[in-house]
Amino acid sequence: MTKYQAVGVGNAIVDVISQCDDSFLSRMGIDKGVMQLIDEERGEFLYGAMENRTQMPGGSAANTVAGLGAVGLSTAFIGRVRDDELGRYYAASLTDVGTTFVNEPVAGGEGPTSRSMIFVSPDGERSMNTYLGISTDLGPDDVPDEVAGQAELLFLEGYLYDKPQGKEAFLAAARACRAGGGRAAISLSDPFCVDRHRDDFRQLVRELDIVFGNEHEWKSLYQTEDLGAALEQAAAESGLIVCTRSGHDVVVVEGDQSVSVPVQEVVPVDATGAGDQFAAGFLYGVATGQTLEVSGRMGCIAAAEVIGHYGARPEADVKAMFREAGLI
């Protein structure tokens, strides 16, 4: 039976990326800098409005697991794609970085492979418009116990909570992982996702081992504008919490230990995947027994690499970058 160092569970989404200016976002009624769920008709409309489209594999948890695979961990991903052109492309993209795509592309199904239209403005901010398609069908039957139960680290994305069967898949995977002695982690995903599922996420902070969020998500979770108060409450309830703060120090808290990790400011080409790759770098540190500070620095290096180019997955040798920084 294969034992994976890291397993991700989440939406399998193909990212379609295009550049635009702020006036385009206004004309199209797109909220800047957030992820919006859209229907198929809206998806077709926005897709048609994109110029110079670039297609890349995405999905929050899948991006993180692909990043972990790229630095040499044994990885697997649990998600659903249709047996169509985008689905086959998606499955191959994970295989190419050494990650096992656990679920075969589905021949039938109600919807096509999921896709997200991402508009990148001149400041590097990304505005995501996601049509979930077949990935919304992800349920507990898609989570093999022998995969989740053999994971040393399980990484889950908060977006799964938008559908009841996704929530069930999430809980099944987390229980199997922890029963097998592994650690389960979650990303809060975005402030609107937190707003939609606040009570559930507060419970997860208490039950899971590692929780990632940015400053807006933590403040939303505890309904306060005082980040310090939000993190203090989270730290009292969770094992390990991580807070990223766009260009400012990352805060990591575990028990009575608190670490502030400096961030080297980088002008982003495309901010897509920054949080996903920060999680990959940080979890690599956790998986290899590094300190909280070193894990945080690894996360910052991985995030800086991915915002230096288009797309949500690393292009450079991130492990070599860790080595150059004296971290390994």
Side-chain angles (χ1 to χ4, degrees), residues 246-248 262-268 300 304 307:
S246 296
H248 299 284
V263 173
Q264 183 176 356
E265 194 165 346
V266 178
V267 177
C300 292
I307 67 175

Side-chain angles (χ1 to χ4, degrees), residues 148-190:
Q150 290 291 309
E152 294 178 17
L153 285 171
L154 185 74
F155 186 71
L156 309 149
E157 62 181 72
Y159 292 128
L160 283 176
Y161 264 63
D162 279 323
K163 291 287 185 177
Q165 64 268 35
K167 177 179 177 179
E168 292 170 15
F170 177 112
L171 293 173
R175 287 171 186 145
C177 171
R178 300 186 86 201
R183 302 174 76 186
I186 183 176
S187 165
L188 296 176
S189 295
D190 78 12

Side-chain angles (χ1 to χ4, degrees), residues 2-328:
T2 303
K3 186 173 181 66
Y4 294 101
Q5 290 170 286
V7 174
V9 185
N11 291 311
I13 300 172
V14 176
D15 290 339
V16 187
I17 302 171
S18 177
Q19 293 174 284
C20 74
D21 55 24
D22 287 354
S23 63
F24 175 90
L25 298 178
S26 297
R27 290 199 309 274
M28 293 293 157
I30 297 171
D31 289 339
K32 184 176 179 178
V34 300
M35 193 283 287
Q36 293 176 290
L37 294 176
I38 58 174
D39 60 21
E40 188 171 6
E41 182 179 357
R42 172 75 168 164
E44 292 294 338
F45 171 73
L46 291 179
Y47 184 83
M50 302 181 93
E51 296 182 0
N52 301 317
R53 294 183 292 256
T54 302
Q55 175 179 296
M56 298 179 180
S60 180
N63 290 337
T64 296
V65 169
L68 287 166
V71 291
L73 295 196
S74 58
T75 54
F77 178 69
I78 295 168
R80 282 174 72 87
V81 297
R82 183 77 175 268
D83 188 11
D84 54 19
E85 183 178 353
L86 284 182
R88 292 186 291 273
Y89 160 77
Y90 192 92
S93 76
L94 283 173
T95 302
D96 288 346
V97 294
T99 294
T100 300
F101 190 69
V102 174
N103 311 87
E104 289 291 325
V106 179
E110 293 297 315
T113 295
S114 308
R115 69 284 315 269
S116 181
M117 275 62 69
I118 302 176
F119 296 91
V120 182
S121 39
D123 58 2
E125 192 62 78
R126 77 276 188 269
S127 306
M128 298 180 288
N129 301 264
T130 303
Y131 169 58
L132 288 177
I134 197 172
S135 67
T136 62
D137 296 335
L138 182 73
D141 290 346
D142 297 305
V143 179
D145 282 347
E146 66 272 18
V147 176
Q150 290 291 309
E152 294 178 17
L153 285 171
L154 185 74
F155 186 71
L156 309 149
E157 62 181 72
Y159 292 128
L160 283 176
Y161 264 63
D162 279 323
K163 291 287 185 177
Q165 64 268 35
K167 177 179 177 179
E168 292 170 15
F170 177 112
L171 293 173
R175 287 171 186 145
C177 171
R178 300 186 86 201
R183 302 174 76 186
I186 183 176
S187 165
L188 296 176
S189 295
D190 78 12
F192 294 111
C193 189
V194 173
D195 288 342
R196 292 191 294 270
H197 308 292
R198 183 173 289 108
D199 290 344
D200 283 329
F201 282 173
R202 283 188 176 178
Q203 184 64 32
L204 286 168
V205 168
R206 291 189 286 270
E207 291 184 5
L208 298 186
D209 303 290
I210 306 170
V211 184
F212 292 88
N214 64 33
E215 58 185 319
H216 306 296
E217 292 154 5
W218 285 114
K219 288 192 287 190
S220 174
L221 185 64
Y222 293 104
Q223 295 177 289
T224 177
E225 286 303 308
D226 185 338
L227 179 61
L231 296 182
E232 185 177 347
Q233 187 169 349
E237 296 178 346
S238 184
L240 171 57
I241 66 163
V242 184
C243 176
T244 56
R245 301 184 299 149
S246 296
H248 299 284
D249 289 5
V250 174
V251 179
V252 184
V253 185
E254 184 174 34
D256 58 3
Q257 183 181 7
S258 179
V259 174
S260 184
V261 182
V263 173
Q264 183 176 356
E265 194 165 346
V266 178
V267 177
V269 173
D270 172 16
T272 309
D276 303 334
Q277 294 311 320
F278 175 86
F282 188 90
L283 290 173
Y284 177 81
V286 170
T288 56
Q290 306 294 338
T291 65
L292 296 183
E293 181 179 1
V294 169
S295 297
R297 290 179 63 193
M298 288 176 164
C300 292
I301 288 170
E305 188 282 333
V306 82
I307 67 175
H309 57 77
Y310 287 103
R313 298 184 181 179
E315 291 182 354
D317 184 341
V318 176
K319 192 170 184 179
M321 296 171 72
F322 296 162
R323 195 173 292 113
E324 288 166 13
L327 301 181
I328 55 175

